[in-house]
Amino acid sequence: MSVLKKRLQSEWISRFFDSLLPVFATLAALLIGAVMLLFLRVNPIEAYAALWDGAFGSPNAFAETLVKATPLLLVALGICISFRGDVINIGGEGQMIVGAVFATWVGLTFTDLPGWLVIVLALLAGFLGGAVWGGIPGFLKAYFRVNEILSTVMMNAIAVQLMNFLLRGPMIDPSQAQLASKIPQTAPLLDIFRLPRLVPTRLHLGALIAVILAILVYILLWRTTLGYRIRAVGHNLHAARYAGIKVQRYVVLALLLSGAFSGLAGATQVYGVNYRMITDGSASGFTGSAGFNGIVAALFGQLHPLWSIPASILFGALLVGANKMQRVVQVPSALVIALNGLVVVFVVSSEIWRRRRQRQRLSIGGVEEEPSPPTQGKAGQAEAGS
Amino acid sequence: MIQDLFSVTVLIGILASGIRLATPYLYAAIGETFGQKSGVLNLGVEGQMLLGAFAAFYVSLKTGSLWLGLLTAMLVGALMGLAMAYVTVNLQAQQGISGIGFYLFGLGMSDLLFQKLMPTVETIRGFPKIHIPGLSDIPGFGQIFFSQNILVYGAYLLVPFAWFVLNKTTLGLKIRSVGENPDAADSLGVSVARIRYFTIILGGTLSGIAGASLSIALLNVFQQNMTSGAGFIAVALVYFGAWRPIGVLGGALLFSMVNSLQLWIQVLGIPVPSDIAVMMPYVLTILVLVATASKVRAPSALTRPFEREV
């Protein structure tokens, strides 16, 4: 008995340690950030204090953090689905843009319908737009073996040009069209089409929707056949095919669903934050790079929809705090982008210790690895085959 | 206006700038070819290019020496490559995702340094055109091929050189074997780790040059995110070129010729919306990937970390 107890204890500790790895990764990135700040002759403590203050210092600041976290979470949910299916979706930016275009079109077209109906239709349109933009690379991967990393990146570039074309041409705000400046933006949405605010801050209903969807994605991935099959394909393609799963279909579905969530993120940006679609000509001018940062958040949340919630809040906080840091200690907020990059590198690098301990646990425990469902927290790496 | 496109001067202009525009893609994609041939997908090319572009520009501006700038860019790229190699070889991290991490790092870092170190936007006199005596006097032809700057010539010389190294040398054989069957290579005494370190660092160095070619040879400025996806295109070109330097050359030329055409269409004021024109090279890239992807085979061990069986 005591041997078993000891074993359980050490397993528990080792699992606990595993779940802390992303935290260590972030701390390491912040530490490197501190060194960089010292090189820029800025007191790191002062800088990070400003960052913290900007993100959590007041109810308004915290609300801003949550507003920023909302698209990150939605993108991250999509990333959870696709990466679990071993499909790498780098196309969040483009999918957000196309989702937003679809949603904006609904709001600008059906001005006679009641507000709640337009909001629902617009969010669905965003979902659909993202699904289309994610589905294309999914289809190309499944049936033409086009590497999805490349095609999603290309689709991003195409979406940006599409957005610029539409916002400077067919969809431009009629009042801008007459001005020389020609800011690429659409006409504003009617007030009744705005996503309701939750508390007297800029926090909008989108945040709540995202959290509910996180729970639904969790159920989808672990409690439904569809989710099981997506994960099975991601876990071991050959075994899944051998088990009679139509692999190609689930590859398409994984990317399509993944894109749909990013599309929804784009729609909530329009209906909850800007109340029109606007850009500066670049992708990040509209998305705020949420399409990339959502990947960071999902990885940080170990590709688990529920863990992606705190992860998104963390990165939302970093992004919002970075603006304050820029104002207070004059460090460009680009620092946070660099640090996000380091977090990604550190998180994926630290996977090796987790895998090692997992193997150790299996060999010590002598418990056969359950062949199905695939073990949690195993991202990408097709080690299962060996 | 459409007929303007077919005048000799314009055609020469399109071809000459197409040749020139291919330069950064060639350096980056040839570097990436080495990495992928050895089984490592480096998606951080864009970040390496951005940091290289900044380093080259800044050092050239401060020291007045373009060569010193180029050298710094190579060094910065190599260092990024070294980090990438450690992460993918020693720590066996997921290559695609860690590459995105390095991309974000390069993106943020180059922007940060740019804003911190250069208060105003400045331009620089980049590498001058070198007219190759005799050849550059050939009408049309000379202008297209033999009146370019040194980094352009370098990019095209790199292609046969890379072909030679990959296919005709022992080193190339080792690189290919490590990418196809690392276990077999390992059992024959080839150090998989050492070969991969070499190719990834080489790839980083070439990406650094690719960035430098933008900031101190072609555009002669530095801007935030100035590569705007060129690094990702370079990765696509490797697939496009079926992992052969000559194929990469073909892809780079096709891509930059279409790009050059689209630029000239805008210059001539032909009524095609510029956004749609800019989109074309990307659409074309996807279409070519669709046409070729199922016909070519990637190196078998691509994206697979190597671990010796114990």
Side-chain angles (χ1 to χ4, degrees):
Chain A
M1 266 321 262
S2 69
V3 177
L4 182 65
K5 199 172 170 190
K6 208 178 234 169
R7 194 181 288 162
L8 279 175
Q9 223 167 31
S10 73
E11 174 160 343
W12 188 83
I13 290 172
S14 121
R15 276 188 198 279
F16 178 69
F17 188 74
D18 284 352
S19 63
L20 280 183
L21 280 176
V23 180
F24 292 141
T26 313
L27 288 178
L30 286 177
L31 210 64
I32 291 184
V35 175
M36 285 171 8
L37 286 166
L38 283 175
F39 271 108
L40 297 171
R41 297 203 188 82
V42 173
N43 181 350
I45 297 175
E46 214 177 306
Y48 284 149
L51 194 146
W52 174 268
D53 192 46
F56 299 112
S58 67
N60 265 326
F62 187 52
E64 281 307 308
T65 293
L66 294 181
V67 167
K68 202 80 178 174
T70 302
L72 297 188
L73 177 56
L74 286 169
V75 173
L77 293 178
I79 296 298
C80 288
I81 298 172
S82 66
F83 280 33
R84 290 260 170 201
D86 200 22
V87 179
I88 311 289
N89 178 12
I90 312 287
E93 295 276 288
Q95 292 145 11
M96 275 183 78
I97 288 171
V98 175
V101 166
F102 274 44
T104 310
W105 178 80
V106 167
L108 295 178
T109 309
F110 301 104
T111 44
D112 301 332
L113 295 180
W116 64 269
L117 184 61
V118 168
I119 290 177
V120 171
L121 287 177
L123 294 184
L124 286 176
F127 203 74
L128 181 72
V132 169
W133 219 246
I136 295 171
F139 178 77
L140 296 182
K141 177 184 171 66
Y143 297 99
F144 294 92
R145 291 175 47 199
V146 175
N147 182 297
E148 77 280 18
I149 298 177
L150 303 173
S151 56
T152 48
V153 168
M154 300 295 143
M155 293 296 278
N156 284 346
I158 295 170
V160 177
Q161 300 311 325
L162 190 68
M163 166 176 74
N164 287 340
F165 170 68
L166 291 172
L167 297 195
R168 284 178 190 145
M171 286 176 81
I172 194 170
D173 185 352
S175 66
Q176 278 295 334
Q178 286 150 19
L179 297 174
S181 58
K182 287 215 188 340
I183 297 171
Q185 63 179 28
T186 64
L189 297 171
L190 295 180
D191 286 354
I192 49 162
F193 294 167
R194 297 180 173 190
L195 278 174
R197 291 186 170 173
L198 296 177
V199 277
T201 53
R202 296 206 321 143
L203 184 60
H204 55 84
L205 188 64
L208 192 63
I209 295 176
V211 171
I212 294 170
L213 285 174
I215 298 167
L216 290 179
V217 170
Y218 170 76
I219 294 171
L220 169 83
L221 280 173
W222 278 283
R223 296 284 181 271
T224 67
T225 321
L226 171 64
Y228 170 71
R229 288 189 174 159
I230 288 177
R231 285 185 303 124
V233 170
H235 194 77
N236 189 335
L237 190 100
H238 302 293
R241 183 173 287 141
Y242 192 70
I245 296 176
K246 293 204 168 54
V247 169
Q248 286 159 322
R249 186 180 299 171
Y250 290 92
V251 167
V252 179
L253 264 176
L255 246 168
L256 185 140
L257 276 174
S258 184
F261 279 94
S262 293
L264 191 59
T268 59
Q269 282 310 92
V270 174
Y271 282 76
V273 181
N274 300 325
Y275 307 130
R276 60 157 36 120
M277 194 165 174
I278 181 168
T279 180
D280 61 1
S282 67
S284 58
F286 168 69
T287 63
S289 297
F292 276 117
N293 290 322
I295 302 176
V296 183
L299 284 174
F300 190 88
Q302 308 194 350
L303 299 180
H304 193 291
L306 299 179
W307 280 114
S308 295
I309 300 173
S312 303
I313 295 175
L314 172 75
F315 288 102
L318 280 175
L319 294 169
V320 172
N323 293 330
K324 175 105 181 187
M325 188 175 74
Q326 180 158 12
R327 283 195 302 276
V328 175
V329 292
Q330 282 82 47
V331 176
S333 54
L335 173 71
V336 166
I337 300 176
L339 294 188
N340 277 358
L342 287 180
V343 171
V344 176
V345 172
F346 291 159
V347 169
V348 285
S349 302
S350 66
E351 284 283 311
I352 188 170
W353 288 288
R354 195 222 308 246
R355 283 199 302 273
R356 272 192 195 148
R357 262 197 311 284
Q358 206 165 23
R359 227 173 294 163
Q360 231 165 35
R361 278 202 294 267
L362 290 174
S363 61
I364 295 170
V367 189
E368 286 293 310
E369 191 178 0
E370 296 170 42
S372 63
T375 37
Q376 290 182 16
K378 225 185 187 182
Q381 222 73 266
E383 288 220 333
S386 60
Chain B
M1 272 185 273
I2 295 281
Q3 59 273 20
D4 287 352
L5 210 52
F6 298 107
S7 73
V8 176
T9 10
V10 171
L11 276 178
I12 289 175
I14 291 173
L15 292 175
S17 59
I19 293 278
R20 201 154 36 93
L21 288 173
T23 308
Y25 299 108
L26 278 175
Y27 282 112
I30 294 288
E32 180 74 19
T33 306
F34 275 95
Q36 294 204 10
K37 271 285 183 192
S38 74
V40 180
L41 166 72
N42 174 12
L43 264 191
V45 177
E46 177 93 355
Q48 295 170 337
M49 281 179 70
L50 276 167
L51 272 177
F54 176 77
F57 188 79
Y58 184 71
V59 171
S60 303
L61 192 71
K62 290 293 159 185
T63 63
S65 163
L66 293 169
W67 289 104
L68 209 57
L70 183 66
L71 200 68
T72 321
M74 292 168 71
L75 203 67
V76 166
L79 279 174
M80 289 274 282
L82 180 69
M84 176 88 194
Y86 179 72
V87 164
T88 52
V89 175
N90 295 58
L91 301 180
Q92 301 172 3
Q94 245 263 358
Q95 294 169 4
I97 305 170
S98 51
I100 293 296
F102 282 109
Y103 156 59
L104 287 174
F105 176 76
L107 175 69
M109 205 57 199
S110 58
D111 189 0
L112 174 72
L113 292 172
F114 171 62
Q115 289 189 45
K116 258 319 214 198
L117 299 178
M118 299 207 307
T120 54
V121 176
E122 300 190 60
T123 55
I124 199 171
R125 281 176 65 95
F127 283 105
K129 277 186 183 172
I130 299 174
H131 302 281
I132 295 185
L135 293 173
S136 65
D137 299 330
I138 307 170
F141 220 67
Q143 218 179 327
I144 296 168
F145 294 107
F146 301 109
S147 303
Q148 306 278 10
N149 68 61
I150 184 104
L151 288 186
V152 179
Y153 295 127
Y156 287 90
L157 290 178
L158 187 62
V159 177
F161 182 71
W163 172 83
F164 181 79
V165 171
L166 279 173
N167 295 303
K168 300 288 166 198
T169 64
T170 325
L171 176 66
L173 183 65
K174 285 179 180 172
I175 292 174
R176 284 181 290 135
S177 64
V178 162
E180 288 295 340
N181 194 338
D183 291 300
D186 181 63
S187 68
L188 290 173
V190 178
S191 166
V192 175
R194 199 177 299 165
I195 292 291
R196 288 188 174 170
Y197 261 85
F198 171 76
T199 58
I200 305 169
I201 293 173
L202 176 68
T205 311
L206 289 173
S207 295
I209 302 179
S213 75
L214 281 171
S215 67
I216 60 174
L218 298 179
L219 306 175
N220 303 332
V221 287
F222 183 84
Q223 291 164 340
Q224 291 138 313
N225 194 19
M226 75 180 295
T227 52
S228 61
F232 289 107
I233 299 280
V235 178
L237 289 176
V238 177
Y239 285 76
F240 198 114
W243 294 270
R244 291 172 308 156
I246 186 76
V248 167
L249 173 67
L253 276 176
L254 181 64
F255 185 83
S256 47
M257 284 299 169
V258 173
N259 217 348
S260 162
L261 180 70
Q262 121 357 65
L263 288 173
W264 276 89
I265 283 177
Q266 289 183 55
V267 169
L268 295 174
I270 292 170
V272 174
S274 64
D275 305 306
I276 300 294
V278 175
M279 200 188 283
M280 283 309 125
Y282 300 96
V283 176
L284 181 78
T285 306
I286 291 190
L287 290 179
V288 177
L289 284 174
V290 169
T292 54
S294 48
K295 294 197 190 77
V296 296
R297 199 181 54 81
S300 312
L302 187 58
T303 74
R304 231 172 274 158
F306 172 70
E307 199 174 5
R308 193 175 280 161
E309 297 286 332
V310 278

